[in-house]
Amino acid sequence: MFDLAPYNTFRLNVKSADGAVITNVAELDHFHADNALILGHGSDVLFTDDFSGTVLVNQIKSLSVEKLENGKFLVKAGSGLILDELIESLIAQGIYGLENLSLIPGTVGAAPIQNVGAYGVEIGDLIKEVVVYDLQRHIQEVYSKEQCEFGYRDSYFKRNKARPLLITQVVFELSSTFNPKAEYSGLKGITFKTPQELRNKVIELRKCKLPDPKLVGNAGSFFKNPIVSKELASTLKQKYQDMPVYEFDETSMKLAAGWLIEKAGCKGITHGNVGTWEHQSLVIVNRGEAKPHEVVALAKYIMAEVFNKFGIKLEPEVRTYDSKGEVSWDRL
Ligand code: FAD
Ligand code: EPU
């Protein structure tokens, strides 16, 4: 058995039948795709049970930087690097663009999967290519930014169920000049003179709102922010005038799941060993020795309360696995 407790930030006490830590691409030639599950830092996963297959923990940590003729930098980052450590090291080398994504706890390779985003930047904005290893055919392939089909907490890789692809490298095109993106609430109106100042502010804001997974088990936002039609957003806004709504695209608006959960009376609640974070109700936390079924039950309770009050169905953001593999919430 392979202990998964160190590899899930929810700190659930789960195991898999087998497991291996991968440090370079050549090691992947020995693995077969059947019942394999790839993990990075485990900061976006929920295990509802012990897993019956093999877990591959990705720690491929290569890094190369090339200065292009246009003055930009091509950064080829091994997928097992921790994204926040990469950002810190790039700032020190005078390479900018990823500062708003500081302190997201996952690996570089998982970041394109759900197109991680924070404080007005999504990682897909800065990606040139993604290199993958096909665990069935044992070949490497390159996906262009367009082929990645990035969306809000979404990408081709998240939707692809046909082929077992392990992201081995992410290629970024980054800048040597600092063009701060400071439109998001909390950053707006501040003049950032250096990328380090912007990074420090993002870290400060995040520390106020989000629990540190080293101290309190959690997987960040448990649910996605709902995307609804402009008509529905406007109807709700008439009824709830303080409800945050954000422009999403021509026909849709994004709502704040955290606000909906709070107004449904679920902020800072505790059910047994689990609860929602006092400073950000979108985060389900392990308050001690939580069991997987407690997390599932609380998530379902929150979904029901929000649906009863607002008629909106929340969708989990965390990737959820039972003993056989990824499981849809309709089946839990
Ligand atoms: P894991 O949890 O290990 O894996 C996530 C999924 O990706 C799984 O389905 C896994 O199979 C797959 N996967 C992982 N690596 C690979 C690979 N190399 N190739 C193929 N598939 C792979 N997310 C945001 O977008 N914005 C935030 O601001 C944010 N804040 C967070 C704050 C906290 C405190 C926490 C705990 C989480 C937060 N997250 C946030 C969620 C999470 O950190 C990100 O989704 C991150 O990208 C997950 O990386 P990971 O390495 O932990 O992936
Ligand atoms: N809000 C509440 N109550 C709460 C939480 C939030 O009223 O308990 C309100 C806030 O006051 C604000 C709005 O909801 O008006 C949005 O809140 P916030 O700025 O904290 O962001 P979020 O929409 O809750 C998203 C991402 C986070 C990301 C932040 C910052 C999703 C699902 N979550 O949260 O990503 O860090 O924006 O950009 O999109 C993650 O994906 O794991 C994650 C942490």
Side-chain angles (χ1 to χ4, degrees):
M1 294 296 266
F2 185 79
D3 186 10
L4 294 176
Y7 301 115
N8 79 96
T9 61
F10 249 123
R11 292 167 174 245
L12 297 177
N13 192 8
V14 281
K15 295 179 172 46
S16 61
D18 204 356
V21 175
I22 304 295
T23 56
N24 68 66
V25 177
E27 291 168 42
L28 293 169
D29 293 339
H30 309 298
F31 288 99
H32 296 286
D34 300 343
N35 218 4
L37 163 58
I38 303 155
L39 274 189
H41 193 61
S43 64
D44 203 33
V45 290
L46 169 66
F47 288 100
T48 64
D49 206 341
D50 287 342
F51 179 64
S52 63
T54 303
V55 165
L56 303 180
V57 179
N58 169 35
Q59 293 188 1
I60 300 170
K61 296 198 174 184
S62 55
L63 180 63
S64 80
V65 173
E66 185 189 330
K67 184 139 193 191
L68 301 172
E69 281 177 9
N70 62 9
K72 291 200 163 195
F73 287 98
L74 201 64
V75 175
K76 297 182 176 175
S79 55
L81 292 167
I82 295 295
L83 179 63
D84 187 56
E85 292 173 9
L86 175 69
I87 297 170
E88 187 177 35
S89 131
L90 291 175
I91 291 176
Q93 296 175 63
I95 303 174
Y96 314 131
L98 293 169
E99 301 76 34
N100 298 53
L101 303 176
S102 293
L103 212 64
I104 295 179
T107 54
V108 166
I113 309 249
Q114 72 147 357
N115 186 21
V116 295
Y119 293 91
V121 171
E122 288 183 333
I123 200 141
D125 303 343
L126 298 145
I127 286 177
K128 185 172 159 51
E129 288 165 357
V130 170
V131 185
V132 304
Y133 183 98
D134 185 325
L135 287 163
Q136 214 152 44
R137 295 190 293 162
H138 293 280
I139 51 166
Q140 286 206 73
E141 288 177 326
V142 178
Y143 280 69
S144 67
K145 182 194 190 106
E146 291 68 35
Q147 288 173 306
C148 294
E149 297 173 8
F150 291 120
Y152 166 63
R153 296 294 187 274
D154 193 33
S155 73
Y156 166 80
F157 305 109
K158 191 164 177 184
R159 277 175 272 120
N160 157 54
K161 306 285 176 223
R163 297 198 295 132
L165 302 177
L166 188 148
I167 293 177
T168 54
Q169 188 184 70
V170 180
V171 182
F172 298 97
E173 198 169 88
L174 299 173
S175 185
S176 52
T177 50
F178 175 51
N179 302 306
K181 294 238 169 8
E183 292 304 309
Y184 200 90
S185 160
L187 302 179
K188 205 174 176 140
I190 303 177
T191 306
F192 294 101
K193 291 193 214 74
T194 65
Q196 190 62 49
E197 277 181 21
L198 174 53
R199 172 172 160 80
N200 291 347
K201 186 68 194 176
V202 168
I203 290 174
E204 181 192 317
L205 291 168
R206 291 181 66 95
K207 283 187 171 168
C208 291
K209 292 184 186 179
L210 298 167
D212 178 350
K214 290 196 192 87
L215 307 174
V216 179
N218 77 93
S221 297
F222 195 91
F223 302 99
K224 289 191 277 190
N225 283 330
I227 310 299
V228 302
S229 69
K230 287 202 163 164
E231 292 73 28
L232 177 56
S234 141
T235 307
L236 286 168
K237 187 78 183 165
Q238 276 165 23
K239 194 164 174 196
Y240 306 101
Q241 284 163 16
D242 59 334
M243 181 180 80
V245 284
Y246 310 96
E247 197 75 28
F248 185 69
D249 62 22
E250 277 174 21
T251 56
S252 326
M253 305 290 279
K254 192 196 269 183
L255 307 182
W259 186 91
L260 298 170
I261 295 168
E262 179 172 341
K263 297 299 168 198
C266 298
K267 188 171 191 169
I269 57 172
T270 298
H271 287 191
N273 292 301
V274 293
T276 54
W277 190 235
E278 285 68 12
H279 309 291
Q280 169 49 284
S281 57
L282 199 40
V283 181
I284 292 185
V285 292
N286 178 349
R287 297 209 191 277
E289 299 294 312
K291 301 278 181 296
H293 70 85
E294 292 181 290
V295 180
V296 173
L298 178 62
K300 284 186 165 183
Y301 172 81
I302 293 168
M303 289 159 90
E305 292 298 294
V306 168
F307 188 78
N308 290 341
K309 187 163 174 73
F310 298 103
I312 288 180
K313 194 173 170 224
L314 291 180
E315 278 180 39
E317 176 192 300
V318 294
R319 307 290 294 274
T320 307
Y321 296 89
D322 70 6
S323 63
K324 296 197 187 79
E326 187 155 21
V327 61
S328 136
W329 272 74
D330 299 333
R331 286 182 35 220
L332 285 174

